[in-house]
Amino acid sequence: MNLHALLQARNASGKPVRVALIGAGKFGSMFLAQVPHVAGLEVPVIIDLDPERARDACRTVGWSAELIARTNFSPDGSKATGDGVDVVVEATGNPAAGIRHARAAIKAGKHIVMVNVEADVLAGPLLAEEARKAGVVYSLAYGDQPALTAELVDWARATGFHVVAAGKGTKYLPAYHDVTPDGVWQHYGLTAGEAQSAGMNPQMFNSFLDGTKSAIEMAAIANATGLDVPTDGLLFPPCGVDDLPHILRPRDRGGVLERSGMVEVVSSLERDGRPVFRDLRWGVYVVLEAPNDYAADCFRQYGLKTDASGRYAAMYKPYHLIGLELNVSVLSAALRREPTGQPLGFRGDVVAVAKKDLRAGEMLDGEGGYTVWGKVIPARTSLQLGALPIGLAHRVKLKDDVAHGAVVRWGDVDVDNMDGDIVATRKGMEMAFARGFTPEPHPSRGQ
């Protein structure tokens, strides 16, 4: 609880924290909106494929003409690691670009805040280890749900509770897995024309709806906390905040979890489409187990909602403000040299699953598209299957037919036409994991 005081001291010394932002989309724009209001924080460099769009974003969020004029806007990612930059924020959403930018930042001795969860899930454990060896911070992005969930898990463990489950809420029905960009807007209560006029990308929004983004975020949480992922993918049980301790218990205790110590996403919709009472659609949670009878008594005495046994309770945060909260990661890295969550191992992976019967010769179009959605499974299972990561399932041609609902495998695609550097990075992480790669000991399950 001292980041602001540390920043004030840093600013008084005449050395503001200087940030290079890569990607001026929605997350980046929300971050930029806060910058003029934080003395001691500067963003002298903004990298975007369309620099004029980035300038427009700055105008939209209220930057002055003077501030825009003294900012370097460029499409050249190499300018993000120039002299005077302390922290690089990677917010492109492109896995391959994210890996390249992270490695460039690490090589240049800059801290890296990885908004790009897609890149983190594809190769984050390896990137985090490279950053540690280089003496810089690799961090998840505060304000996004993985970092906020990791914070709740850390709080629970630091205070002595057993972590039974952790994750977030979302809007989910089983049929959403097969939704394509053509049908996405009806589920958001919009027409295609309304969405287009608002500049909303149907494939990106569909990745939130079809379960891919939830899978990616749960894999990031598992890799950062040592929690397990479900054997056959997320269950998405309908659940409101008052029922978290009841539903997110192990099955042998009356809940839905395989065992204690899992990540899971709860749905804001009942399976018949009715809204869940007091849903957690925008928030994050952790379910706790009292380590002793005294702690369980305290749950009751201080008004916590518990299961019938009184041993399970939950803490949650009902909302997240994504880029508006990103300064916490930036300042933590620059002033404390600490991440707001980072992958410490490879426990969860997100694999491509066919949305329909796919035929040899078809091109996969990545998360949120027409061909595949992303399913989180244990990393060890993914390697045993030879499963294709969702982050590499974009603009790649199928060599074999893949049935609706089946996992796409490396052997099903034309690897020769894929990005060789990124494939090599991913394979390097897989090989490291196969050798028992654990950069730092992660807490044992449920502790």
Side-chain angles (χ1 to χ4, degrees):
M1 300 178 190
N2 61 353
L3 280 178
H4 186 243
L6 290 173
L7 180 60
Q8 286 180 312
R10 172 79 173 253
N11 192 40
S13 71
K15 297 180 179 179
V17 173
R18 292 166 64 85
V19 180
L21 172 66
I22 306 177
K26 180 61 173 177
F27 201 115
S29 295
M30 294 178 79
F31 165 62
L32 293 172
Q34 301 301 98
V35 170
H37 308 287
V38 183
L41 179 66
E42 297 179 358
V43 181
V45 181
I46 299 177
I47 307 299
D48 196 276
L49 293 176
D50 185 346
E52 191 54 40
R53 185 192 72 155
R55 287 189 182 90
D56 287 341
C58 289
R59 296 185 189 102
T60 298
V61 302
W63 277 32
S64 67
E66 179 185 0
L67 182 54
I68 292 172
R70 65 172 186 259
T71 301
N72 181 9
F73 295 86
S74 174
D76 184 359
S78 67
K79 296 187 181 301
T81 56
D83 291 342
V85 169
D86 301 296
V87 181
V88 174
V89 172
E90 215 297 336
T92 66
N94 182 302
I99 290 170
R100 290 194 178 93
H101 292 148
R103 280 190 152 155
I106 292 165
K107 183 177 180 180
K110 313 298 182 183
H111 305 304
I112 177 76
V113 175
M114 188 62 88
V115 176
N116 190 337
V117 192
E118 293 80 2
D120 178 77
V121 169
L122 188 61
L126 197 63
L127 297 175
E129 174 67 1
E130 291 174 1
R132 283 188 285 271
K133 288 179 178 177
V136 296
V137 172
Y138 174 100
S139 179
L140 299 178
Y142 198 88
D144 217 357
Q145 287 164 307
L148 296 179
T149 305
E151 180 183 45
L152 286 176
V153 171
D154 189 61
W155 164 82
R157 288 170 170 161
T159 49
F161 294 112
H162 301 301
V163 174
V164 178
K168 68 164 198 170
T170 196
K171 180 182 178 181
Y172 171 85
L173 290 173
Y176 290 172
H177 290 310
D178 291 339
V179 174
T180 72
D182 289 342
V184 66
W185 298 127
Q186 63 180 309
H187 299 290
Y188 286 96
L190 298 169
T191 67
E194 289 170 338
Q196 184 177 11
S197 65
M200 300 166 71
N201 182 319
Q203 184 159 344
M204 182 191 74
F205 276 82
N206 197 42
S207 71
F208 287 91
L209 189 74
D210 71 8
T212 302
K213 187 67 72 172
S214 290
I216 288 171
E217 292 181 334
M218 292 306 103
I221 293 166
N223 293 340
T225 62
L227 294 171
D228 288 331
V229 302
T231 299
D232 192 34
L234 298 169
L235 300 173
F236 296 96
C239 183
V241 294
D242 297 330
D243 293 326
L244 287 167
H246 174 73
I247 292 175
L248 294 173
R249 298 177 294 174
R251 290 171 189 159
D252 60 7
R253 300 295 181 90
V256 302
L257 302 178
E258 294 174 41
R259 56 185 173 274
S260 185
M262 308 288 291
V263 296
E264 187 55 79
V265 175
V266 295
S267 176
S268 63
L269 295 177
E270 301 287 355
R271 289 296 189 258
D272 61 5
R274 290 178 297 113
V276 164
F277 178 66
R278 282 174 42 84
D279 68 81
L280 194 65
R281 179 177 177 183
W282 307 107
V284 297
Y285 75 90
V286 62
V287 172
L288 323 164
E289 182 182 4
N292 51 52
D293 291 340
Y294 185 85
D297 287 343
C298 290
F299 287 168
R300 175 179 53 79
Q301 293 161 3
Y302 285 86
L304 273 72
K305 297 284 187 180
T306 68
D307 74 323
S309 75
R311 299 297 294 240
Y312 294 92
M315 283 289 188
Y316 60 91
K317 187 173 185 176
Y319 304 104
H320 68 296
L321 293 176
I322 61 170
L324 299 180
E325 300 180 79
L326 184 62
N327 287 353
V328 174
S329 290
V330 169
L331 299 181
S332 182
L335 303 177
R336 291 179 178 156
R337 301 185 70 85
E338 292 181 356
T340 50
Q342 67 172 203
L344 300 175
F346 184 33
R347 301 183 68 79
D349 197 18
V350 183
V351 302
V353 175
K355 285 188 173 182
K356 59 180 181 177
D357 288 333
L358 301 174
R359 302 302 178 196
E362 283 192 70
M363 296 291 290
L364 301 183
D365 57 357
E367 62 171 287
Y370 293 85
T371 57
V372 291
W373 61 278
K375 178 179 181 177
V376 64
I377 61 175
R380 188 175 300 279
T381 303
S382 173
L383 299 189
Q384 290 170 345
L385 290 173
L388 181 70
I390 190 68
L392 293 176
H394 186 61
R395 295 179 182 172
V396 58
K397 183 181 289 188
L398 283 173
K399 296 191 302 182
D400 303 310
D401 295 348
V402 179
H404 179 209
V407 172
V408 182
R409 308 186 187 214
W410 281 99
D412 295 323
V413 299
D414 186 357
V415 178
D416 291 340
N417 290 329
M418 297 172 71
D419 187 319
D421 290 342
I422 303 306
V423 169
T425 297
R426 168 66 188 205
K427 288 295 187 180
M429 188 181 74
E430 292 183 359
M431 289 177 64
F433 176 76
R435 294 196 304 266
F437 172 60
T438 49
E440 292 182 359
H442 59 72
S444 60
R445 184 176 68 241
Q447 298 302 306

